[in-house]
Every structure is written in C-alpha cells, then in structure tokens.
Amino acid sequence: MDRIQFNRCVEQYADRLFRFAFSSLRNREQAEDVVQESFARVWEKRKTVDFEKAKSYLFTTAHHAMVDEVRHRQRFASMEEPLSDDAKTVQNPYPDVNDILHRALAALPETQRNALLLRDYEGYSYQEIGDITGMSEAQVKVNIFRARNTLKNKLKSIDNLIDIAP
C-alpha cells in the first residue's frame, strides 16, 4: 500500500471506524485513540497490507484495541474509589430513547455487541464480521441473533425501559 492508497483508506473508513469504536466504548477520546491506533498499525504494516484488505485489517485492529481497552477499564475500575453522595450528579429521570438504547447495547456481552454493531450499524456481511472478530460465520449469526433478542426483550415494555434508565 502506498501513501495515496493509505490516504484513501483514511477518507473512506475513518468515520465508520470511529462510529464502530464509539458505539462500543461510549467514550469519544477512547474511540479516537482506537481509530488513531488502527491507522498507525496499518501504516506500520503498509508493505504487507493490501489496499483491498485494508478495511478488514482496520476493523480487526480496532476490534482488538477495543477489547484491550475494555479489559484495561475493568482492571482499574475496582481501584477507583466510589463517589460520595455529595459528589454524585443529579441525572434526568426521563432519559431519551437514544440513551436507553445505548445503555441496552452496553449491557450486551462484548462479542454480541460488536457483531451487532458491525452488522446493523456498519452493514458488514457475516463473513466479513467473522474475519474481523475471529468468529466463524455460524458464531457471528448466533451472536447477532442473541443480541437482537436481548435488545428486543429489554426494550419491548415500558417497565424494562424504566429498569434500564439510571
């Protein structure tokens, strides 16, 4: 891959890669870091990465970076002290539907969430999702099916929506 092809990759995939990372991590700075890291790795491997396979390489790299970020976050979450009652902020008792949907997505297991986001948000085929995540096509289908069922069950009644709200 040469510099022109790399720049074309940035133009074509940066926004999609950011949406994928942000949908999973729900943190703008971390999502930007994942995108930057993914493109840095492609640039480092530009002699071995074909331009035709750059999209798959980028999303695979982003997927692995997000997994690392989630593990890092979980490892250090227990070390942080909880906020005192005075430091807690008052939240809106009626969150909007978008917030509720993102909370429901965040509650999904990571493999289900990523497979669902790649399929429904980014439009990848089952085979492409399998290449990105390292799952078989059958595993991808099962994870998407389970994720959709979980979301449907969580979002189908007002009682469940209230349970998801903060």
PDB file of all heavy atoms in Angstrom, residues 30 45 56 63 65 71 80 95 102-103 129 156:
ATOM      1  N   GLN A  30     -11.482   7.776  23.873  1.00  0.00           N
ATOM      2  CA  GLN A  30     -11.025   6.401  23.696  1.00  0.00           C
ATOM      3  C   GLN A  30     -11.300   5.913  22.277  1.00  0.00           C
ATOM      4  O   GLN A  30     -10.474   5.214  21.691  1.00  0.00           O
ATOM      5  CB  GLN A  30     -11.701   5.482  24.711  1.00  0.00           C
ATOM      6  CG  GLN A  30     -11.216   5.709  26.122  1.00  0.00           C
ATOM      7  CD  GLN A  30     -12.021   4.925  27.149  1.00  0.00           C
ATOM      8  OE1 GLN A  30     -13.117   4.458  26.883  1.00  0.00           O
ATOM      9  NE2 GLN A  30     -11.466   4.797  28.347  1.00  0.00           N
ATOM     10  N   LYS A  45       2.387  -1.431   8.845  1.00  0.00           N
ATOM     11  CA  LYS A  45       2.354  -2.685   8.067  1.00  0.00           C
ATOM     12  C   LYS A  45       2.015  -2.437   6.588  1.00  0.00           C
ATOM     13  O   LYS A  45       1.598  -3.360   5.887  1.00  0.00           O
ATOM     14  CB  LYS A  45       1.293  -3.628   8.658  1.00  0.00           C
ATOM     15  CG  LYS A  45       1.493  -3.962  10.104  1.00  0.00           C
ATOM     16  CD  LYS A  45       2.497  -5.057  10.242  1.00  0.00           C
ATOM     17  CE  LYS A  45       2.567  -5.450  11.707  1.00  0.00           C
ATOM     18  NZ  LYS A  45       3.466  -6.514  11.955  1.00  0.00           N
ATOM     19  N   SER A  56     -10.780  -4.552   6.199  1.00  0.00           N
ATOM     20  CA  SER A  56     -10.862  -5.667   7.142  1.00  0.00           C
ATOM     21  C   SER A  56      -9.758  -5.575   8.188  1.00  0.00           C
ATOM     22  O   SER A  56     -10.004  -5.790   9.379  1.00  0.00           O
ATOM     23  CB  SER A  56     -10.765  -6.987   6.388  1.00  0.00           C
ATOM     24  OG  SER A  56     -10.776  -8.069   7.282  1.00  0.00           O
ATOM     25  N   HIS A  63     -11.140  -3.704  16.597  1.00  0.00           N
ATOM     26  CA  HIS A  63     -11.819  -4.662  17.485  1.00  0.00           C
ATOM     27  C   HIS A  63     -10.870  -5.104  18.600  1.00  0.00           C
ATOM     28  O   HIS A  63     -11.235  -5.098  19.784  1.00  0.00           O
ATOM     29  CB  HIS A  63     -12.306  -5.853  16.678  1.00  0.00           C
ATOM     30  CG  HIS A  63     -12.828  -6.978  17.509  1.00  0.00           C
ATOM     31  ND1 HIS A  63     -14.040  -6.926  18.158  1.00  0.00           N
ATOM     32  CD2 HIS A  63     -12.287  -8.180  17.824  1.00  0.00           C
ATOM     33  CE1 HIS A  63     -14.227  -8.051  18.829  1.00  0.00           C
ATOM     34  NE2 HIS A  63     -13.180  -8.823  18.632  1.00  0.00           N
ATOM     35  N   ALA A  65      -8.178  -3.564  19.676  1.00  0.00           N
ATOM     36  CA  ALA A  65      -7.858  -2.415  20.531  1.00  0.00           C
ATOM     37  C   ALA A  65      -8.996  -2.137  21.514  1.00  0.00           C
ATOM     38  O   ALA A  65      -8.746  -1.783  22.674  1.00  0.00           O
ATOM     39  CB  ALA A  65      -7.578  -1.185  19.672  1.00  0.00           C
ATOM     40  N   ARG A  71     -10.749  -4.373  28.778  1.00  0.00           N
ATOM     41  CA  ARG A  71     -10.030  -5.112  29.821  1.00  0.00           C
ATOM     42  C   ARG A  71      -9.279  -4.157  30.736  1.00  0.00           C
ATOM     43  O   ARG A  71      -9.260  -4.339  31.951  1.00  0.00           O
ATOM     44  CB  ARG A  71      -9.062  -6.105  29.193  1.00  0.00           C
ATOM     45  CG  ARG A  71      -9.736  -7.299  28.599  1.00  0.00           C
ATOM     46  CD  ARG A  71      -8.729  -8.254  28.017  1.00  0.00           C
ATOM     47  NE  ARG A  71      -9.417  -9.350  27.352  1.00  0.00           N
ATOM     48  CZ  ARG A  71      -8.899 -10.037  26.358  1.00  0.00           C
ATOM     49  NH1 ARG A  71      -7.691  -9.770  25.902  1.00  0.00           N
ATOM     50  NH2 ARG A  71      -9.592 -11.013  25.808  1.00  0.00           N
ATOM     51  N   GLU A  80     -10.592   2.428  41.618  1.00  0.00           N
ATOM     52  CA  GLU A  80     -11.128   3.765  41.822  1.00  0.00           C
ATOM     53  C   GLU A  80     -12.078   3.765  43.009  1.00  0.00           C
ATOM     54  O   GLU A  80     -12.824   2.834  43.239  1.00  0.00           O
ATOM     55  CB  GLU A  80     -11.879   4.228  40.576  1.00  0.00           C
ATOM     56  CG  GLU A  80     -10.986   4.395  39.368  1.00  0.00           C
ATOM     57  CD  GLU A  80     -11.784   4.781  38.137  1.00  0.00           C
ATOM     58  OE1 GLU A  80     -13.022   4.916  38.237  1.00  0.00           O
ATOM     59  OE2 GLU A  80     -11.160   4.937  37.087  1.00  0.00           O
ATOM     60  N   PRO A  95     -34.600   9.755  30.654  1.00  0.00           N
ATOM     61  CA  PRO A  95     -33.603   9.797  29.587  1.00  0.00           C
ATOM     62  C   PRO A  95     -34.257   9.588  28.229  1.00  0.00           C
ATOM     63  O   PRO A  95     -35.330   8.986  28.132  1.00  0.00           O
ATOM     64  CB  PRO A  95     -32.673   8.638  29.928  1.00  0.00           C
ATOM     65  CG  PRO A  95     -33.496   7.719  30.740  1.00  0.00           C
ATOM     66  CD  PRO A  95     -34.479   8.580  31.486  1.00  0.00           C
ATOM     67  N   HIS A 102     -28.482   2.953  23.931  1.00  0.00           N
ATOM     68  CA  HIS A 102     -27.046   2.792  24.149  1.00  0.00           C
ATOM     69  C   HIS A 102     -26.750   2.075  25.461  1.00  0.00           C
ATOM     70  O   HIS A 102     -25.805   1.289  25.544  1.00  0.00           O
ATOM     71  CB  HIS A 102     -26.339   4.145  24.093  1.00  0.00           C
ATOM     72  CG  HIS A 102     -26.204   4.656  22.693  1.00  0.00           C
ATOM     73  ND1 HIS A 102     -25.434   4.042  21.741  1.00  0.00           N
ATOM     74  CD2 HIS A 102     -26.774   5.713  22.080  1.00  0.00           C
ATOM     75  CE1 HIS A 102     -25.518   4.694  20.610  1.00  0.00           C
ATOM     76  NE2 HIS A 102     -26.334   5.723  20.786  1.00  0.00           N
ATOM     77  N   ARG A 103     -27.560   2.303  26.465  1.00  0.00           N
ATOM     78  CA  ARG A 103     -27.376   1.570  27.729  1.00  0.00           C
ATOM     79  C   ARG A 103     -27.683   0.086  27.531  1.00  0.00           C
ATOM     80  O   ARG A 103     -26.995  -0.776  28.075  1.00  0.00           O
ATOM     81  CB  ARG A 103     -28.265   2.139  28.821  1.00  0.00           C
ATOM     82  CG  ARG A 103     -27.827   3.485  29.320  1.00  0.00           C
ATOM     83  CD  ARG A 103     -28.792   3.989  30.402  1.00  0.00           C
ATOM     84  NE  ARG A 103     -28.638   5.393  30.644  1.00  0.00           N
ATOM     85  CZ  ARG A 103     -27.709   5.908  31.429  1.00  0.00           C
ATOM     86  NH1 ARG A 103     -26.871   5.121  32.048  1.00  0.00           N
ATOM     87  NH2 ARG A 103     -27.630   7.216  31.599  1.00  0.00           N
ATOM     88  N   ILE A 129     -17.673  -9.962   9.156  1.00  0.00           N
ATOM     89  CA  ILE A 129     -17.678  -9.852  10.617  1.00  0.00           C
ATOM     90  C   ILE A 129     -16.850 -10.983  11.224  1.00  0.00           C
ATOM     91  O   ILE A 129     -16.089 -10.773  12.167  1.00  0.00           O
ATOM     92  CB  ILE A 129     -19.113  -9.856  11.171  1.00  0.00           C
ATOM     93  CG1 ILE A 129     -19.867  -8.621  10.670  1.00  0.00           C
ATOM     94  CG2 ILE A 129     -19.115  -9.905  12.695  1.00  0.00           C
ATOM     95  CD1 ILE A 129     -21.355  -8.667  10.919  1.00  0.00           C
ATOM     96  N   LYS A 156     -38.952  -3.906  24.851  1.00  0.00           N
ATOM     97  CA  LYS A 156     -40.338  -4.061  24.392  1.00  0.00           C
ATOM     98  C   LYS A 156     -41.391  -3.526  25.359  1.00  0.00           C
ATOM     99  O   LYS A 156     -42.508  -3.283  24.961  1.00  0.00           O
ATOM    100  CB  LYS A 156     -40.634  -5.510  24.041  1.00  0.00           C
ATOM    101  CG  LYS A 156     -40.723  -6.461  25.203  1.00  0.00           C
ATOM    102  CD  LYS A 156     -41.029  -7.846  24.703  1.00  0.00           C
ATOM    103  CE  LYS A 156     -41.016  -8.835  25.842  1.00  0.00           C
ATOM    104  NZ  LYS A 156     -41.247 -10.182  25.374  1.00  0.00           N
TER     105      LYS A 156
END
